[in-house]
Amino acid sequence: MKHILYGDGIHDDYPAIQELLDSRLSEIALPVPEKNYLISKTLKLHGGQTLKLPRFAVIRLADHADCAMAEDDDFGTWKDNISIDGGIWDMNNANQAPNPGHYPDKYGMILRDKFREIGFSAARSKQLPDVYTGFC
Protein backbone atom coordinates (compact mmCIF):
# COMPACT_ATOMS: atom_id res chain seq x y z
CA MET A 1 0.00 0.00 0.00
CA LYS A 2 1.35 3.41 -1.00
CA HIS A 3 -0.44 5.46 1.72
CA ILE A 4 -0.52 5.00 5.50
CA LEU A 5 -3.75 4.40 7.41
CA TYR A 6 -3.16 6.35 10.65
CA GLY A 7 -6.41 6.29 12.60
CA ASP A 8 -4.91 8.75 15.07
CA GLY A 9 -7.41 11.58 14.54
CA ILE A 10 -4.59 13.91 13.47
CA HIS A 11 -3.28 12.70 10.10
CA ASP A 12 -5.47 12.52 7.01
CA ASP A 13 -6.64 8.94 6.36
CA TYR A 14 -8.41 9.82 3.12
CA PRO A 15 -5.53 8.82 0.77
CA ALA A 16 -5.15 5.37 2.37
CA ILE A 17 -8.88 4.62 2.55
CA GLN A 18 -9.40 5.79 -1.04
CA GLU A 19 -6.46 3.67 -2.19
CA LEU A 20 -8.14 0.65 -0.59
CA LEU A 21 -11.45 1.51 -2.27
CA ASP A 22 -9.71 1.98 -5.62
CA SER A 23 -8.37 -1.57 -5.36
CA ARG A 24 -11.96 -2.49 -6.30
CA LEU A 25 -12.08 -5.31 -3.78
CA SER A 26 -15.69 -6.15 -2.99
CA GLU A 27 -15.20 -5.62 0.75
CA ILE A 28 -12.88 -3.15 2.45
CA ALA A 29 -12.76 -3.73 6.23
CA LEU A 30 -10.94 -1.06 8.21
CA PRO A 31 -9.32 -2.03 11.52
CA VAL A 32 -10.19 -0.39 14.85
CA PRO A 33 -8.46 3.02 14.82
CA GLU A 34 -6.23 4.20 17.64
CA LYS A 35 -8.49 7.27 18.04
CA ASN A 36 -10.56 7.95 14.90
CA TYR A 37 -10.20 8.11 11.14
CA LEU A 38 -9.94 11.62 9.67
CA ILE A 39 -10.87 12.33 6.04
CA SER A 40 -10.38 15.56 4.09
CA LYS A 41 -12.16 14.58 0.85
CA THR A 42 -15.19 12.62 -0.29
CA LEU A 43 -14.64 8.84 -0.24
CA LYS A 44 -15.64 7.38 -3.61
CA LEU A 45 -17.08 3.86 -3.47
CA HIS A 46 -17.33 1.70 -6.58
CA GLY A 47 -20.21 -0.51 -7.65
CA GLY A 48 -20.30 -3.88 -5.89
CA GLN A 49 -18.30 -2.57 -2.94
CA THR A 50 -18.81 -2.55 0.83
CA LEU A 51 -16.86 -0.34 3.22
CA LYS A 52 -16.92 -1.87 6.72
CA LEU A 53 -15.89 -0.10 9.89
CA PRO A 54 -15.89 -1.51 13.41
CA ARG A 55 -19.13 -0.75 15.24
CA PHE A 56 -17.82 2.11 17.41
CA ALA A 57 -15.04 3.34 15.12
CA VAL A 58 -15.40 7.05 14.37
CA ILE A 59 -14.70 8.44 10.92
CA ARG A 60 -14.61 12.24 11.08
CA LEU A 61 -14.71 14.88 8.37
CA ALA A 62 -11.68 17.19 8.70
CA ASP A 63 -12.23 20.83 9.64
CA HIS A 64 -13.17 22.94 6.60
CA ALA A 65 -13.24 19.95 4.23
CA ASP A 66 -16.66 21.24 3.12
CA CYS A 67 -17.53 18.07 1.22
CA ALA A 68 -19.73 15.01 1.43
CA MET A 69 -18.19 12.13 3.39
CA ALA A 70 -18.96 9.37 0.87
CA GLU A 71 -20.64 8.84 -2.49
CA ASP A 72 -20.38 6.58 -5.50
CA ASP A 73 -17.43 7.07 -7.86
CA ASP A 74 -19.58 8.49 -10.68
CA PHE A 75 -22.31 10.62 -9.16
CA GLY A 76 -24.25 10.89 -12.44
CA THR A 77 -24.49 7.13 -13.08
CA TRP A 78 -26.47 4.62 -10.99
CA LYS A 79 -24.35 1.94 -9.30
CA ASP A 80 -25.55 -1.32 -7.75
CA ASN A 81 -24.52 -2.93 -4.49
CA ILE A 82 -22.72 -0.11 -2.71
CA SER A 83 -22.81 -0.48 1.06
CA ILE A 84 -21.38 1.20 4.12
CA ASP A 85 -21.51 -1.00 7.20
CA GLY A 86 -20.76 0.22 10.72
CA GLY A 87 -18.84 3.09 12.16
CA ILE A 88 -19.89 6.43 13.56
CA TRP A 89 -19.85 9.02 10.78
CA ASP A 90 -19.03 12.40 12.32
CA MET A 91 -19.68 15.18 9.81
CA ASN A 92 -18.03 17.70 12.17
CA ASN A 93 -20.74 20.16 11.11
CA ALA A 94 -19.63 23.01 13.40
CA ASN A 95 -16.37 23.22 11.42
CA GLN A 96 -17.78 23.09 7.87
CA ALA A 97 -19.15 25.81 5.60
CA PRO A 98 -22.90 26.42 5.94
CA ASN A 99 -25.30 24.40 3.79
CA PRO A 100 -25.07 25.90 0.25
CA GLY A 101 -28.81 25.32 -0.16
CA HIS A 102 -29.49 28.02 2.43
CA TYR A 103 -26.41 30.26 2.51
CA PRO A 104 -24.39 31.87 -0.29
CA ASP A 105 -21.11 30.29 -1.37
CA LYS A 106 -17.89 32.26 -1.82
CA TYR A 107 -19.32 33.69 -5.09
CA GLY A 108 -22.51 34.87 -3.39
CA MET A 109 -24.74 32.21 -4.99
CA ILE A 110 -27.13 29.89 -3.22
CA LEU A 111 -27.28 26.32 -4.59
CA ARG A 112 -30.95 26.61 -5.63
CA ASP A 113 -30.02 29.68 -7.72
CA LYS A 114 -27.36 27.61 -9.47
CA PHE A 115 -30.07 25.01 -10.22
CA ARG A 116 -32.17 27.69 -11.91
CA GLU A 117 -29.19 29.08 -13.79
CA ILE A 118 -27.91 25.85 -15.36
CA GLY A 119 -30.96 23.57 -15.05
CA PHE A 120 -31.73 20.96 -12.42
CA SER A 121 -30.30 17.88 -14.19
CA ALA A 122 -27.01 19.65 -14.94
CA ALA A 123 -26.86 21.02 -11.40
CA ARG A 124 -27.50 17.59 -9.94
CA SER A 125 -24.61 16.03 -11.81
CA LYS A 126 -22.20 18.98 -11.57
CA GLN A 127 -22.97 20.83 -8.33
CA LEU A 128 -24.05 18.31 -5.71
CA PRO A 129 -21.07 15.95 -5.71
CA ASP A 130 -18.52 16.79 -3.06
CA VAL A 131 -20.71 19.53 -1.57
CA TYR A 132 -21.17 19.60 2.18
CA THR A 133 -24.89 19.94 2.92
CA GLY A 134 -24.97 18.63 6.49
CA PHE A 135 -27.12 15.67 5.45
CA CYS A 136 -26.19 11.99 5.30
Side-chain angles (χ1 to χ4, degrees):
M1 208 167 116
K2 180 179 170 186
H3 297 96
I4 297 170
L5 188 63
Y6 295 99
D8 62 5
I10 298 168
H11 295 91
D12 189 3
D13 293 300
Y14 165 79
I17 297 171
Q18 191 60 56
E19 181 180 347
L20 291 166
L21 291 169
D22 290 343
S23 72
R24 305 243 181 194
L25 291 171
S26 62
E27 184 174 293
I28 304 298
L30 299 180
V32 175
E34 177 186 324
K35 182 176 178 189
N36 65 269
Y37 293 112
L38 185 68
I39 59 170
S40 62
K41 295 182 182 175
T42 304
L43 296 172
K44 306 284 186 169
L45 283 79
H46 306 283
Q49 204 166 45
T50 297
L51 175 59
K52 292 184 81 160
L53 283 95
R55 183 176 181 186
F56 295 110
V58 174
I59 186 164
R60 181 180 172 91
L61 191 59
D63 290 354
H64 311 294
D66 299 332
C67 63
M69 290 186 76
E71 65 186 29
D72 68 28
D73 63 336
D74 181 4
F75 192 79
T77 305
W78 180 260
K79 300 286 187 315
D80 289 323
N81 302 318
I82 292 177
S83 171
I84 296 176
D85 182 2
I88 298 169
W89 291 74
D90 179 355
M91 294 187 291
N92 187 17
N93 67 329
N95 296 306
Q96 305 302 325
N99 183 330
H102 300 284
Y103 298 95
D105 64 13
K106 61 185 175 184
Y107 305 108
M109 289 196 75
I110 294 177
L111 191 61
R112 68 175 174 268
D113 297 333
K114 290 180 187 179
F115 279 19
R116 287 189 199 109
E117 186 178 287
I118 65 173
F120 181 76
S121 61
R124 184 179 187 281
S125 65
K126 292 185 172 77
Q127 299 298 326
L128 287 179
D130 299 331
V131 172
Y132 179 81
T133 60
F135 297 101
C136 293

